[in-house]
Amino acid sequence: MTIRIETDVLIIGSGPAGGSMALALATYGIDHLVVTRFGRLVRTPRAHITNQRTMEILRDLGVEDQVIDDATPKEWMGNNVFCETLAGDELGRIYSWQMHPLSEAEAKLASPTRINDTPQNYMEPILIHNATQRGSTVRYNTEYLNHKQDYNGVTVTVKDHLTNETYEIRCKYLYGADGGNSKVAENCGFEFDGEMGVGGSMNIVFDADLSKYVAHRPSVLYWVMQPGADIGGIGMGLVRMIRPWHKWLIVWGYDINAGPPEITDEYAIDVARELIGDPNIEIKIDSYSVWTVNNLYGLQNRDRRVFCGGDAMHRHPPSNGLGSNTSMQDSYNLAWKLAMVLRGQAGETLLESYNAERIPIAKQIVTRANQSIAEFGPIFDAIGFLSTEDPNEKKANMARRKENTPEATAQREALRQAILFKKYEFNAHGVDMNHLYESTAVASDGTPKPVPDRDPELHYFRTSYPGAKVPHNWFRRGPYGGTEILATLDLCCQGRFTLLTGIGGEGWVEAAQAYAKESGVPIAAVVVGPDRDVEDIYQEWPDIREVDEDGCLLVRPDGYIGWRSQSVADNATEELASAMNQILGR
């Protein structure tokens, strides 16, 4: 067998993880190739919530506007409804996805981007199309079989399903983004914690005009509480909006110990009509499939020159909408590091930080997603589903909440509190945004780790502490009264390091220029202040930056603080060089 292709980075998989890695590497000008065993991109909606942190990544990679054009906006996402059926009684709603006025304010302070709903069959084409426009090559119908490493690279064996030919691809680095049954992770021998197949679920995609049941309470998720809803699945029966108000996806559970049911068009239509509550509504089935709820995360994601990301490393239910978001964030974290190592700007030790920074996130989101399923339990308890197995008695118990009795009063309050507690699934802003990296790619400034003053799962904690995401602020560039308005993230990222300082911090600018000249690693230096590079529009930056005006924030290419200094130093060149060399492993 001979080597047919050589490339710097070989990406296995074209989903959210593989597509975003391709887009990032193409944007950075790094030679790479994508192979996928499938003959096309995904055709079913699958993942859909696109959170603020992922939108920041897409903003940096230049496709934010395209995603927004294909998305259901936040304004139509936020009435998560709990009901007997769509046509039946509503038991309650909860503000979701930062739709509560206070949550919306927090979101606007946290980021220049907005959460939205972009189904995976819309997201993947955006990622892959733009990647190929910038230089990516994608080979479909090409299955990864195995790989072997040596000191200089990786030899990967693949099979072309169109010709049945097996051949080899030689790469310097291999990225396994091949999903929840990852062959790359298996061949690396990665260890995992948790278990697969803890619950059974089915997806039913269909067309139906449900506007009369939902248009007055727009949402992407309608939770249906009827007998059977507490068996398997993701915690409750779900009618999910794909396109308002005609394209839908139902998620319904099954007992995994009994095995999956045989699904037919007739079976799927019956399930859909039961959850909708209209036995005569016209339904056109598009597709159906069964899948398992998993609770598993990798304990390592790197084996020398081979890395894995996305569902290959974190396998969990879609609760909290964390799957594709975390997958794209994995790739974005690794892409700039691969680029700098391949350019000779960084040492191999920089790549070690991928494992240190992303494995804790994998554990966090797998734990959170499965915990969210368990948090449906108090709702079922409040409506009386857990006290009997009889379907008719369950319905009678749920109806008793309407009575004028002390017991019904207590039941209504228990139900209200149980629904409100679901904010940990539908409004967990901190889970989305509070990633704090600890690795060799973060240089300490000697200050103690800050402690959030509010629940870190629900609320974003803004800080410039090394390892945190650079805080959001609005700046103006140009002559007095100019109209070029930029977010902090717009000043940073773009595949290079950025140094933010203020008046009096010119020594840091000189240090950045000196380091760039000596090392060949560009650092964009930005001075904030009147008649400087940018001005602080709303006079909030002094409260946000957490360093003196002549101090500095060193921001990595992924928008995270790599190091900071409280004030300008006499030996600014040496201090900055020391921090940069640690981060880059030089």
Side-chain angles (χ1 to χ4, degrees):
M1 193 181 303
T2 58
I3 294 173
R4 286 268 304 274
I5 301 170
E6 294 189 21
T7 188
D8 283 345
V9 181
L10 176 61
I11 302 166
I12 310 299
S14 59
S20 53
M21 175 62 82
L23 178 58
L25 292 180
T27 303
Y28 301 152
I30 299 300
D31 178 56
H32 65 282
L33 170 67
V34 180
V35 301
T36 173
R37 63 190 176 93
F38 299 107
R40 53 166 293 167
L41 299 179
V42 67
R43 65 175 297 271
T44 54
R46 300 188 188 181
H48 61 118
I49 300 296
T50 310
N51 66 33
Q52 280 188 295
R53 178 55 193 151
T54 300
M55 287 303 294
E56 290 179 345
I57 292 170
L58 298 170
R59 182 187 185 95
D60 180 46
L61 296 177
V63 298
E64 179 188 25
D65 289 344
Q66 294 178 45
V67 172
I68 291 172
D69 286 345
D70 273 347
T72 296
K74 180 176 73 70
E75 290 70 24
W76 286 5
M77 294 171 60
N79 281 290
N80 259 13
V81 175
F82 296 82
C83 55
E84 293 183 16
T85 64
L86 292 191
D89 282 354
E90 180 178 314
L91 283 77
R93 303 183 200 179
I94 183 173
Y95 283 114
S96 304
W97 319 122
Q98 295 123 49
M99 273 299 290
H100 189 285
L102 294 177
S103 299
E104 185 174 33
E106 286 188 38
K108 288 182 177 179
L109 290 172
S111 174
T113 67
R114 296 291 173 267
I115 193 171
N116 61 65
D117 185 288
T118 307
Q120 189 170 331
N121 54 326
Y122 288 82
M123 179 66 77
E124 281 189 20
I126 293 173
L127 299 175
I128 292 297
H129 170 74
N130 283 277
T132 56
Q133 289 288 307
R134 300 175 195 182
S136 292
T137 299
V138 181
R139 288 200 165 204
Y140 295 95
N141 297 295
T142 304
E143 182 179 3
Y144 160 89
L145 299 178
N146 56 61
H147 69 267
K148 55 185 178 181
Q149 298 192 60
D150 55 53
Y151 183 77
N152 295 314
V154 188
T155 301
V156 180
T157 304
V158 300
K159 180 178 181 179
D160 186 320
H161 283 294
L162 297 180
T163 64
N164 285 324
E165 180 185 11
T166 299
Y167 62 94
E168 291 180 339
I169 300 173
R170 180 71 175 171
C171 58
K172 295 176 182 176
Y173 296 100
L174 173 64
Y175 185 57
D178 50 338
N181 294 304
S182 172
K183 277 191 176 182
V184 179
E186 179 183 347
N187 290 339
C188 285
F190 288 154
E191 295 183 358
F192 289 81
D193 194 4
E195 59 180 316
M196 297 279 279
V198 297
S201 196
M202 68 183 78
N203 284 358
I204 300 171
V205 181
F206 64 98
D207 289 278
D209 181 5
L210 303 184
S211 55
K212 65 179 178 180
Y213 299 127
V214 299
H216 62 287
R217 49 182 181 181
S219 180
V220 294
L221 303 177
Y222 297 85
W223 299 92
V224 181
M225 290 177 277
Q226 57 181 246
D230 55 339
I231 299 174
I234 56 174
M236 189 175 287
L238 172 65
V239 181
R240 174 187 143 197
M241 186 274 292
I242 306 302
R243 299 279 92 173
W245 306 108
H246 64 91
K247 193 76 171 181
W248 299 88
L249 182 151
I250 277 176
V251 183
W252 188 245
Y254 67 86
D255 183 354
I256 195 167
N257 296 315
E262 181 181 350
I263 306 180
T264 62
D265 280 7
E266 292 74 18
Y267 179 98
I269 289 172
D270 287 345
V271 171
R273 284 176 172 167
E274 283 291 325
L275 271 61
I276 295 166
D278 184 342
N280 300 311
I281 192 163
E282 185 176 344
I283 291 174
K284 180 182 178 183
I285 298 296
D286 180 88
S287 66
Y288 36 79
S289 59
V290 295
W291 49 280
T292 61
V293 176
N294 303 314
N295 186 4
L296 195 80
Y297 61 88
L299 300 178
Q300 73 268 13
N301 57 22
R302 180 196 181 199
D303 175 23
R304 294 167 290 166
R305 290 178 172 270
V306 182
F307 304 84
C308 280
D311 289 351
M313 286 290 98
H314 30 86
R315 307 171 189 181
H316 56 89
S319 313
N320 288 76
L322 296 168
S324 62
N325 288 290
T326 309
S327 299
M328 288 190 268
Q329 292 161 26
D330 285 345
S331 299
Y332 188 65
N333 178 281
L334 180 60
W336 71 268
K337 299 172 183 178
L338 286 172
M340 288 198 159
V341 171
L342 286 165
R343 294 190 196 114
Q345 297 172 324
E348 284 276 340
T349 56
L350 174 61
L351 301 177
E352 296 174 3
S353 66
Y354 174 64
N355 189 89
E357 293 179 355
R358 296 307 297 175
I359 286 298
I361 305 302
K363 178 180 179 180
Q364 176 198 20
I365 64 110
V366 169
T367 302
R368 178 64 257 172
N370 280 276
Q371 187 175 335
S372 290
I373 289 181
E375 288 167 357
F376 279 108
I379 297 177
F380 287 119
D381 189 32
I383 61 177
F385 271 28
L386 303 185
S387 61
T388 179
E389 295 297 324
D390 182 77
N392 293 324
E393 185 61 28
K394 287 184 177 185
K395 292 181 179 179
N397 288 344
M398 183 161 52
R400 289 190 183 100
R401 77 188 190 282
K402 304 176 182 180
E403 297 174 358
N404 182 19
T405 65
E407 293 78 13
T409 299
Q411 183 183 22
R412 289 191 295 271
E413 178 60 17
L415 178 60
R416 185 178 78 90
Q417 293 297 336
I419 290 176
L420 288 175
F421 195 73
K422 290 301 292 179
K423 62 188 176 183
Y424 282 93
E425 178 173 0
F426 306 125
N427 226 2
H429 195 212
V431 173
D432 295 343
M433 302 287 280
N434 282 340
H435 304 159
L436 185 65
Y437 293 150
E438 297 181 54
S439 73
T440 55
V442 176
S444 172
D445 68 337
T447 60
K449 186 176 179 179
V451 178
D453 56 355
R454 294 184 295 174
D455 189 322
E457 284 200 297
L458 295 180
H459 303 283
Y460 167 58
F461 179 61
R462 185 177 66 188
T463 179
S464 70
Y465 184 76
K469 186 175 73 70
V470 65
H472 168 54
N473 190 59
W474 290 111
F475 299 94
R476 178 181 60 80
R477 182 158 60 193
Y480 182 76
T483 58
E484 187 178 9
I485 307 302
L486 302 167
T488 316
L489 284 168
D490 300 329
L491 301 175
C492 306
C493 304
Q494 301 171 47
R496 41 85 170 138
F497 282 82
T498 305
L499 187 141
L500 302 175
T501 188
I503 294 176
E506 287 77 12
W508 294 119
V509 178
E510 295 172 2
Q513 293 170 344
Y515 186 81
K517 182 177 180 181
E518 182 274 330
S519 67
V521 179
I523 303 177
V526 179
V527 180
V528 180
D531 203 26
R532 299 306 196 270
D533 297 318
V534 295
E535 293 192 43
D536 174 23
I537 299 176
Y538 299 110
Q539 310 303 309
E540 295 181 334
W541 185 237
D543 298 323
I544 294 172
R545 66 187 181 221
E546 297 180 336
V547 297
D548 295 338
E549 188 173 16
D550 63 353
C552 74
L553 302 179
L554 178 64
V555 185
R556 306 187 326 182
D558 59 355
Y560 278 76
I561 304 292
W563 174 73
R564 67 180 179 181
S565 179
Q566 186 64 37
S567 59
V568 71
D570 293 335
N571 60 339
T573 300
E574 290 78 9
E575 286 204 14
L576 179 61
S578 176
M580 286 290 296
N581 287 338
Q582 178 192 317
I583 293 169
L584 296 176
R586 292 176 64 91

